[in-house]
Amino acid sequence: APIEYRATPRQTSLLVGPPTLESRSGARLVGTGRGLVLLPGQDSMSFDGEFALAGGGFPAGTLRLAMTDGLWNGTARFRPYQAGGADLILSPVNWAYERRGLSLSTLALMNGPLGGGHVTGLRVPLSLKPGGDVLSGCFAPSFRTLEIAGLSLAPATLNTCIAGKQARLSALRLN
């Protein structure tokens, strides 16, 4: 990671550029952008950077990060991930982190084997919110086809609400 110290009569700053990391498996995380900017004496800190991820069995992707006034936020974009006859596609993963915790949202689209059967077009909206019960709330996963143990189902949406340790499905209609 590049590091630069600047001192002028008006301001002192420390800049730490986004790092480049490489694992033994060949995964590389390459950072670009302004990076971390510290202004000693002003108790000010900000971050702005982009990272590219590739290799080592990971799906290629980019991650944009920014931090201002103690709030981190970012967007990650990944190419489809394929393994063992299955694939996973994530819409852009948007997230923010602050004192209350992490919030995250994306849509996962999956195709592939499932419990001795197969699923196509499984869409699962994912949303995490900071607080005690991060998975609480309602969402509507759906699928185009589901075949398992000799049962074949047509497209369906499963309106689901989670509260505590319970998940409730409303008006389930399967064909």
Side-chain angles (χ1 to χ4, degrees):
I3 298 174
E4 183 179 329
Y5 176 77
R6 295 180 188 167
T8 67
R10 305 181 104 215
Q11 181 174 307
T12 301
S13 61
L14 175 65
L15 296 98
V16 181
T20 295
L21 305 169
E22 186 169 341
S23 74
R24 288 182 182 155
S25 68
R28 282 181 56 86
L29 183 72
V30 179
T32 60
R34 190 178 63 178
L36 181 66
V37 178
L38 298 165
L39 302 176
Q42 294 183 21
D43 291 331
S44 177
M45 179 171 66
S46 65
F47 183 90
D48 184 37
E50 188 160 309
F51 296 87
L53 173 67
F58 286 99
T62 59
L63 173 62
R64 177 97 178 103
L65 292 175
M67 190 269 288
T68 308
D69 298 326
L71 173 66
W72 285 91
N73 62 66
T75 301
R77 291 179 169 80
F78 297 100
R79 290 195 178 180
Y81 182 69
Q82 298 173 333
D87 60 77
L88 170 65
I89 301 168
L90 297 175
S91 68
V93 180
N94 296 303
W95 64 274
Y97 183 79
E98 57 178 304
R99 288 183 189 178
R100 293 185 315 135
L102 174 71
S103 60
L104 178 140
S105 66
T106 189
L107 176 67
L109 175 62
M110 297 173 270
N111 301 292
L114 177 69
H118 194 268
V119 65
T120 36
L122 176 61
R123 299 171 61 88
V124 180
L126 301 172
S127 180
L128 299 176
K129 299 175 187 102
D133 197 359
V134 296
L135 294 176
S136 66
C138 297
F139 64 106
S142 63
F143 57 85
R144 276 197 321 265
T145 63
L146 175 62
E147 297 174 3
I148 191 165
L151 176 67
S152 294
L153 295 175
T157 299
L158 310 172
N159 294 313
T160 307
C161 291
I162 297 175
K165 295 180 181 180
Q166 292 185 337
R168 295 181 189 248
L169 298 174
S170 64
L172 185 59
R173 299 184 82 185
L174 301 173
N175 293 316

